[in-house]
Amino acid sequence: MSNEVLISIVSPVYKAENIVEELIFQIKDTLKEISDDYEIILVDDGSPDGSWNKVFEACKKDKKIKGVKLSRNFGQHYAITAGLEQAKGEWIVVMDCDLQDDPKEIKNLYSEIKKGYDSVLARRVLRNDKYFKKITSKLFYAVFGYLTGTKQDPSIANYGIYNKKVIKAILSMKDKVRYFPAMTQWVGFSIQRLDVKHNERTIGESTYNFRSLLKLAFNNIIAFSSKPLLLTIRLGLIISTLSFMLGGFYFIMYLNGKINEPGFLSLIISIWFLGGIIISILGMIGLYIGKTFNQTKDRPSFIIDKLIN
């Protein structure tokens, strides 16, 4: 990554045919107050509408706008990674394309990071999202934080500005499952949070429904933590312990003559005990298989179809 430009703006584009032109206008209008040394990288994530055509036209008019077209829809965080690989700025801004991340806040983020931080994360104090999205988002971050053992803030998403060394560290991560907010936390460095304005969605609908959020949560919990497997092992041990306690209970009942069926006691104890042991063993094996499986797969996280400028 070279120092050819001062600021790179990276934004994944999906179903944004009616937003792209306004997005570019607002970003350029804000960057005029910072520097003329910038680039805007728009990554089309296999959008089914005319988003790529809009990006293509904008790139032809302005060489500072760069277009990246993925071969299909890989997902928002893979599109972000594709854009980051093309970024050449000293500072890199990551933002969504729906204009809920207010481009005017770029100036405030830049001023804050110039104080000596490596990353400044935009914190949406008042989220202008629908009630369902707010609730599912809070639930996602609560579960994700618990199972990964990290502290998650539902008011922080992708929007932020990062030093090129932070982005270089993120790109060095070979994780096949990409989740940008968690990766920024994992690489560390000095992080600051800045309260920003969060706009209402005026065009289009969020592409995240309950099913996609559930899939995102499952994939990232498995990718960033082995705690679910550890919980499985713990469950197996608890069941085994309960089987001993239950066995003792039935043994006392047997001695008191309250159980007369032959073989009942040994059958119940065997089922509970062996069931717990099997779950524990499967969980332990799963730990190793899961780690090995993630390491042996070497597919590309995304495939770039076209590059412009």
Side-chain angles (χ1 to χ4, degrees):
M1 194 178 291
S2 62
N3 298 327
E4 293 181 13
V5 295
L6 179 66
I7 299 179
S8 298
I9 311 294
V10 175
S11 182
V13 175
Y14 188 75
K15 291 185 178 180
E17 180 180 6
N18 299 320
I19 308 174
V20 169
E21 291 179 349
E22 182 63 23
L23 172 69
I24 293 171
F25 172 79
Q26 291 194 27
I27 291 175
K28 292 172 71 173
D29 189 57
T30 301
L31 291 176
K32 284 191 302 186
E33 302 180 39
I34 301 175
S35 172
D36 192 47
D37 188 18
Y38 66 83
E39 62 180 359
I40 301 173
I41 302 172
L42 303 177
V43 185
D44 179 82
D45 186 25
S47 186
D49 61 3
S51 297
W52 175 248
N53 293 332
K54 294 291 186 178
V55 173
F56 182 78
E57 291 298 322
C59 291
K60 287 200 301 183
K61 296 175 183 176
D62 189 347
K63 294 298 182 183
K64 290 185 178 181
I65 301 173
K66 301 181 178 182
V68 181
K69 187 178 189 299
L70 301 186
S71 62
R72 63 170 176 83
N73 176 242
F74 285 89
Q76 182 187 36
H77 300 281
Y78 298 91
I80 289 174
T81 303
L84 294 178
E85 286 191 352
Q86 305 300 322
K88 297 180 175 63
E90 181 75 19
W91 308 101
I92 295 99
V93 174
V94 176
M95 63 184 299
D96 294 342
C97 71
D98 55 16
L99 292 176
Q100 286 194 274
D101 290 343
D102 193 341
K104 295 183 179 66
E105 296 289 353
I106 294 175
K107 183 174 66 172
N108 297 327
L109 291 168
Y110 180 71
S111 297
E112 190 69 18
I113 204 167
K114 293 299 287 182
K115 295 178 181 178
Y117 302 105
D118 295 315
S119 302
V120 177
L121 311 179
R123 182 165 51 200
R124 303 163 292 182
V125 179
L126 181 62
R127 290 190 60 176
N128 283 303
D129 286 319
K130 292 181 178 179
Y131 181 75
F132 174 76
K133 187 173 181 180
K134 289 181 182 179
I135 293 298
T136 53
S137 178
K138 286 183 179 180
L139 181 62
F140 166 77
Y141 282 108
V143 174
F144 185 75
Y146 170 72
L147 291 178
T148 57
T150 58
K151 198 171 183 180
Q152 299 295 323
D153 187 347
S155 66
I156 294 175
N158 301 316
Y159 199 15
I161 186 169
Y162 310 88
N163 187 289
K164 65 176 182 179
K165 70 179 181 182
V166 176
I167 299 303
K168 184 177 181 181
I170 290 173
L171 292 176
S172 71
M173 297 174 67
K174 302 304 179 183
D175 301 50
K176 296 303 180 182
V177 176
R178 314 293 293 184
Y179 184 58
F180 185 71
M183 297 173 105
T184 59
Q185 297 280 345
W186 189 88
V187 297
F189 300 103
S190 59
I191 300 175
Q192 172 68 317
R193 292 158 181 83
L194 182 69
D195 294 347
V196 300
K197 178 184 177 183
H198 188 239
N199 293 330
E200 292 184 13
R201 181 183 291 272
T202 57
I203 303 175
E205 294 290 332
S206 174
T207 55
Y208 280 109
N209 52 34
F210 180 75
R211 182 180 177 183
S212 60
L213 283 172
L214 193 63
K215 182 180 178 182
L216 179 69
F218 179 79
N219 286 340
N220 284 287
I221 287 168
I222 296 300
F224 284 91
S225 173
S226 59
K227 194 169 184 177
L229 290 171
L230 294 173
L231 290 175
T232 302
I233 297 172
R234 189 177 299 174
L235 175 63
L237 294 174
I238 290 173
I239 292 174
S240 296
T241 302
L242 289 175
S243 73
F244 279 111
M245 296 172 62
L246 186 64
F249 171 74
Y250 281 126
F251 184 69
I252 293 173
M253 291 183 66
Y254 174 77
L255 293 178
N256 291 330
K258 294 182 179 180
I259 297 178
N260 298 317
E261 293 82 359
F264 175 82
L265 179 62
S266 60
L267 181 63
I268 291 297
I269 294 176
S270 299
I271 291 174
W272 280 80
F273 177 73
L274 291 176
I277 294 298
I278 289 170
I279 291 174
S280 298
I281 293 173
L282 288 176
M284 184 66 71
I285 294 173
L287 277 172
Y288 288 95
I289 293 177
K291 298 296 183 183
T292 304
F293 181 65
N294 288 332
Q295 290 296 324
T296 54
K297 286 193 303 181
D298 198 27
R299 297 176 185 172
S301 297
F302 53 85
I303 298 172
I304 292 177
D305 180 19
K306 296 176 183 177
L307 289 171
I308 302 178
N309 293 341

